[in-house]
Amino acid sequence: MRFLPNLPKKWRCNRPTADHLSGVCSIFDLIPDRNIVGAVSNSFQQNFLSQLITYGDLTGSPPFVTHGLPASIFKKGVQVAALDPASARSPADVRADIRAGKIRGHTSGMAHGFVQANLVILPKPWAEDFLQFCLANPKPCPLVAVGKPGDPALPTLGPGIDIRTDVPKYCILRDGQPVGESHDITDLWGDNFVSFLIGCSFSFEGALIDAGLEVRHIALDRNVPMFRTNIPCEPAGRFSGNLVVSMRPFQALDAIRAVEVTSRMPQVHGSPVHIGDPSRIGIIDVTQPDYGDSVPVADGELPVFWACGVTPQLAIAQARPPIAITHSPGCMLVTDIRDESLLDGDFRFEPGPI
Amino acid sequence: MRFLPNLPKKWRCNRPTADHLSGVCSIFDLIPDRNIVGAVSNSFQQNFLSQLITYGDLTGSPPFVTHGLPASIFKKGVQVAALDPASARSPADVRADIRAGKIRGHTSGMAHGFVQANLVILPKPWAEDFLQFCLANPKPCPLVAVGKPGDPALPTLGPGIDIRTDVPKYCILRDGQPVGESHDITDLWGDNFVSFLIGCSFSFEGALIDAGLEVRHIALDRNVPMFRTNIPCEPAGRFSGNLVVSMRPFQALDAIRAVEVTSRMPQVHGSPVHIGDPSRIGIIDVTQPDYGDSVPVADGELPVFWACGVTPQLAIAQARPPIAITHSPGCMLVTDIRDESLLDGDFRFEPGPI
């Protein structure tokens, strides 16, 4: 164990997770009198911690710990910022604040290292078709949980979850079209409503940064660029539509590494669906996304395309169910599932009949 | 279990391993009165067995069995060819014939499903540097075994192996340059000679075909195209040089699958080192390989480049050891290690000091 310069010796880095040579930033929860616990962030700029990581102990893998204390960001051993206290908080604490109305917006960066999930709620007759659509299209719609009809609990994602109150903002759709937003859907809830929780790219982006890759839109502090493609989804019942993809540019060797990393996370979209020439999947101009923000593709970089969680929203717009409820973009369900457990197989979702 | 049309019911396909929708060929050992045992071939043309596989039972995974009987190839249930008897023979039987001088050429297609390995033999003072070179460059030089100085046995690769007699043809190099070939190096063997066995792309090509991909040079019955690159290897002691790569073209989705498949086989070169634009790694014309045969890259395909076992030969030519012995191209050591055990981690090589 080596200790950090300009930091108390008791602040140790036991488990750095980013490639310190790449200059990619990781956030470490720096907790006085405790180990420094690594948690990859996808919401901060590069280079904050490269020096800190360099001096960390690159071996060892203690259990993941989060803590209620605000943590700090150091640059070359000097404190430059305090971490959002929510980053080091437990998923249960974040959900409690959401339920109490204290958090009503984006959940990005909260409860670092835990899976956040997309939400789709449908009445049972539509839910049966939608389950088949998800199972037939696991890359855009990787299920992490399906609720029981009428039951707002999701015990496999966290004790005490009430899906009617534990998402910061909901989007209400009638006949497939958005008609309004709400912070609480208790009044709308029906006794045959089924919740679908779908894996989210936050987890695999964390893993990419963890592997030392620069994720362009995060480095630029933008939303990921997303595109409609000409790739049809497998239809199921009343649901059909084309695949929506997100794009992240990489140099070839990093693109290969990105395939390796994400292939191990099938429950958060898995490996890419396309690499290289965007026109092959019906994208005319890779700098003009249909959703999200544009990011530059540098000379020699390959655009890499992953199946995107916006796909089911298009399928819902096409199917026109009388009512559907989704999360508002970025306002996710924060679960108790660790990102890591997607990699090591600790967490697996096995769908049954609704 | 469904049975094959036009075949005795006792010939069953318990374990087809290729994607029967893709039309890619797998060879099955068809053994009367026994199960048909799947063994992916990389030496036959497409479409032979697609109909056969279609009618096979796509579930179940009995133990891998090979058998001394010649097997047959069926097309749509009609026998169209007999398999080379050597394909269904055990590695020990193949080695015995090599040692007896009955096999003096290529080992391609023999003992299907078992790892074949590249050979480099060096005197101990050079072997120590070369071991470091392999460890520093695991993608081009993935070690599967290192012999003890002076000891021609390789017990982890098969009982009774004598590396002086069990390779069909050897290439002798003095001062890094080839000076002759031999079928037996017993007379040349020195009491400080160290054998290095290096994983070979035969294994990962089998896995690619297994995954339903077309491997172009195999489909065309050509040698794989290989190129010198501008990527320097990590030097170690007296060994250095640029990386040599092999190239296989794929449509984007198949390229992604190829990364996934080969990333799980680090002991036979692992994942690619480059994808897309050949000029990025110093290749001027992808249709003009430095070694092997040219294969076409079709419209919309990406050339995918893997680290190649020719790399150490360049390093030896550069280092100019007074003596070195390698296998002649294609004339490999046939081991008792199953290709599968590279995937499931049954087989692992842990290098120690020489």
Side-chain angles (χ1 to χ4, degrees):
Chain A
M1 173 66 76
R2 286 176 297 174
F3 296 103
L4 308 175
N6 308 325
L7 282 176
K9 285 191 180 183
K10 60 193 170 188
W11 287 6
R12 305 179 210 167
C13 182
N14 266 354
R15 194 163 163 278
T17 51
D19 180 346
H20 65 283
L21 297 176
S22 72
V24 170
C25 175
S26 286
I27 298 303
F28 283 72
D29 299 342
L30 304 178
I31 300 166
D33 287 310
R34 301 292 293 258
N35 288 336
I36 297 167
V37 178
V40 171
S41 164
N42 53 15
S43 58
F44 287 83
Q45 300 297 325
Q46 294 187 349
N47 293 324
F48 263 136
L49 285 185
S50 59
Q51 196 62 26
L52 179 68
I53 296 167
T54 301
Y55 284 95
D57 177 4
L58 293 171
T59 60
S61 182
F64 189 96
V65 180
T66 55
H67 217 266
L69 297 177
S72 299
I73 300 174
F74 286 73
K75 188 172 184 176
K76 300 192 177 182
V78 178
Q79 184 175 357
V80 293
L83 255 178
D84 176 354
S87 70
R89 298 182 61 206
S90 76
D93 287 349
V94 172
R95 289 196 302 267
D97 274 1
I98 291 169
R99 191 182 295 188
K102 296 180 191 168
I103 298 171
R104 304 194 130 193
H106 290 199
T107 50
S108 174
M110 295 185 184
H112 277 299
F114 288 90
V115 170
Q116 300 198 11
N118 300 285
L119 173 65
V120 170
I121 297 171
L122 286 163
K124 188 178 175 201
W126 292 80
E128 287 164 348
D129 281 2
F130 189 71
L131 175 61
Q132 296 309 315
F133 183 78
C134 292
L135 296 179
N137 297 281
K139 282 201 158 183
C141 311
L143 290 169
V144 294
V146 178
K148 291 182 179 152
D151 185 352
L154 292 158
T156 59
L157 299 187
I161 288 179
D162 185 329
I163 200 61
R164 300 170 301 184
T165 54
D166 292 358
V167 166
K169 201 193 289 185
Y170 300 85
C171 182
I172 323 297
L173 302 104
R174 294 197 186 271
D175 297 323
Q177 296 305 309
V179 295
E181 290 187 312
S182 174
H183 300 293
D184 184 322
I185 55 162
T186 306
D187 291 346
L188 281 169
W189 187 257
D191 61 8
N192 68 345
F193 277 18
V194 179
S195 306
F196 295 87
L197 282 302
I198 294 173
C200 156
S201 59
F202 283 9
S203 300
F204 85 64
E205 290 178 342
L208 291 173
I209 294 170
D210 204 8
L213 305 185
E214 185 208 84
V215 178
R216 183 66 40 81
H217 67 274
I218 292 172
L220 297 174
D221 201 17
R222 297 182 191 170
N223 193 0
V224 68
M226 292 163 276
F227 303 86
R228 297 179 190 229
T229 72
N230 61 9
I231 305 170
C233 292
E234 192 69 35
R238 288 160 284 189
F239 292 95
S240 64
N242 281 0
L243 186 68
V244 177
V245 293
S246 60
M247 188 280 286
R248 294 159 192 82
F250 292 104
Q251 297 286 343
L253 200 57
D254 287 347
I256 290 164
R257 187 81 189 110
V259 174
E260 290 187 282
V261 168
T262 57
S263 72
R264 291 169 198 155
M265 305 182 88
Q267 284 172 125
V268 285
H269 302 307
S271 59
V273 294
H274 186 64
I275 190 165
D277 186 356
S279 72
R280 293 264 151 199
I281 56 170
I283 297 170
I284 306 304
D285 183 349
V286 80
T287 68
Q288 298 293 322
D290 295 309
Y291 315 93
D293 299 326
S294 180
V295 303
V297 180
D299 185 39
E301 287 184 334
L302 295 158
V304 183
F305 299 90
W306 278 265
C308 174
V310 174
T311 308
Q313 296 182 23
L314 256 66
I316 290 167
Q318 177 277 334
R320 303 173 62 85
I323 187 163
I325 302 169
T326 70
H327 68 288
S328 283
C331 304
M332 319 295 280
L333 178 70
V334 179
T335 80
D336 287 1
I337 311 301
R338 288 180 184 145
D339 287 341
E340 256 190 4
S341 70
L342 299 179
L343 273 172
D344 63 20
D346 265 2
F347 176 78
R348 257 177 226 283
F349 169 66
E350 300 289 348
I354 289 171
Chain B
M1 173 68 73
R2 287 176 297 172
F3 295 105
L4 309 176
N6 309 325
L7 281 177
K9 285 190 179 182
K10 62 194 171 189
W11 287 7
R12 304 178 211 166
C13 183
N14 266 354
R15 193 163 163 277
T17 51
D19 179 348
H20 64 285
L21 297 175
S22 72
V24 171
C25 173
S26 284
I27 299 302
F28 283 73
D29 299 343
L30 304 178
I31 300 166
D33 288 309
R34 303 292 292 259
N35 288 335
I36 298 168
V37 178
V40 172
S41 164
N42 53 15
S43 58
F44 286 83
Q45 301 296 326
Q46 292 187 349
N47 292 323
F48 265 134
L49 284 185
S50 59
Q51 196 62 26
L52 179 69
I53 296 166
T54 301
Y55 284 95
D57 176 3
L58 293 171
T59 60
S61 181
F64 189 96
V65 180
T66 55
H67 217 266
L69 296 177
S72 299
I73 300 173
F74 286 73
K75 189 172 184 177
K76 300 191 177 181
V78 178
Q79 185 175 359
V80 293
L83 256 178
D84 176 352
S87 70
R89 299 183 61 206
S90 76
D93 287 349
V94 173
R95 289 196 302 268
D97 273 2
I98 291 169
R99 192 181 295 187
K102 295 180 191 169
I103 298 171
R104 302 193 132 193
H106 291 197
T107 50
S108 174
M110 295 185 184
H112 277 299
F114 289 90
V115 170
Q116 301 197 11
N118 301 285
L119 172 66
V120 169
I121 297 172
L122 286 164
K124 188 178 175 201
W126 291 80
E128 287 163 348
D129 280 2
F130 188 71
L131 174 63
Q132 295 309 316
F133 183 77
C134 292
L135 296 179
N137 297 281
K139 283 201 156 182
C141 312
L143 290 169
V144 295
V146 178
K148 291 182 180 153
D151 185 352
L154 292 159
T156 60
L157 300 187
I161 288 179
D162 185 329
I163 200 61
R164 301 170 299 184
T165 53
D166 292 358
V167 165
K169 203 193 289 184
Y170 301 85
C171 182
I172 323 296
L173 301 103
R174 294 197 185 273
D175 296 323
Q177 296 304 308
V179 294
E181 289 187 313
S182 173
H183 300 292
D184 185 321
I185 55 161
T186 306
D187 290 346
L188 282 168
W189 188 257
D191 61 8
N192 69 345
F193 276 17
V194 179
S195 307
F196 295 87
L197 281 302
I198 293 173
C200 154
S201 60
F202 284 9
S203 299
F204 85 64
E205 290 178 343
L208 291 173
I209 294 170
D210 205 7
L213 305 184
E214 185 208 83
V215 178
R216 182 67 40 78
H217 68 273
I218 292 172
L220 297 174
D221 201 17
R222 298 182 189 168
N223 193 359
V224 68
M226 291 164 276
F227 303 85
R228 296 178 189 230
T229 72
N230 61 11
I231 304 169
C233 291
E234 193 69 35
R238 288 160 284 189
F239 293 94
S240 64
N242 281 0
L243 186 68
V244 177
V245 293
S246 60
M247 188 280 288
R248 295 159 191 82
F250 292 104
Q251 296 288 342
L253 201 56
D254 287 347
I256 291 164
R257 187 82 188 110
V259 174
E260 290 187 282
V261 168
T262 57
S263 72
R264 290 169 199 155
M265 304 182 89
Q267 284 172 125
V268 286
H269 301 308
S271 59
V273 295
H274 187 63
I275 189 166
D277 185 356
S279 72
R280 293 265 151 199
I281 56 171
I283 297 170
I284 306 304
D285 184 349
V286 80
T287 67
Q288 300 292 324
D290 296 309
Y291 315 93
D293 299 326
S294 180
V295 302
V297 180
D299 184 41
E301 286 184 335
L302 295 158
V304 183
F305 299 90
W306 277 266
C308 175
V310 174
T311 307
Q313 297 182 22
L314 256 68
I316 289 167
Q318 178 277 334
R320 305 173 62 86
I323 186 163
I325 302 170
T326 69
H327 68 289
S328 283
C331 304
M332 320 293 280
L333 179 69
V334 179
T335 80
D336 287 0
I337 309 303
R338 290 181 182 144
D339 287 341
E340 258 189 5
S341 71
L342 299 179
L343 273 171
D344 63 19
D346 266 2
F347 176 79
R348 257 177 227 283
F349 169 68
E350 300 289 349
I354 291 172

